[in-house]
Amino acid sequence: VWLFAGFCLQALGLLYTTAQRSGLLLYLNVKLVPFFALALFGRHVPFSAWLSALAALLGTCLVAGDGAGGVPPNVGDALSVAAA
């Protein structure tokens, strides 16, 4: 069910945003692992993992939100983040 939902959100997101930005945003799932480990499983996450995830998240936001491709942030970006 989760795989199907992720695929549907990704496909819908591609209707509104570029493939490059969607792909970049989809890799947020790697950066969100420490947050989910703590919230869902109550696992201890080392400070270095938090710091690394935060740095990667900020980098993704900077690259995805630069507007250099002529496409401002849109609903497709939100759908891609939800798919992650």
Side-chain angles (χ1 to χ4, degrees):
V1 171
W2 292 109
L3 184 62
F4 177 74
F7 175 74
C8 287
L9 288 170
Q10 179 185 5
L12 288 172
L14 283 170
L15 293 173
Y16 302 103
T17 193
T18 63
Q20 294 86 359
R21 186 180 288 172
S22 178
L24 181 71
L25 292 172
L26 281 170
Y27 277 98
L28 279 174
N29 62 356
V30 175
K31 297 154 188 81
L32 295 174
V33 167
F35 301 104
F36 287 136
L38 178 67
L40 297 177
F41 304 115
R43 298 188 75 184
H44 172 72
V45 180
F47 180 72
S48 59
W50 287 107
L51 194 59
S52 300
L54 181 63
L57 182 63
L58 289 174
T60 300
C61 290
L62 286 173
V63 172
D66 69 349
V71 180
N74 56 45
V75 69
D77 296 343
L79 292 169
S80 295
V81 169

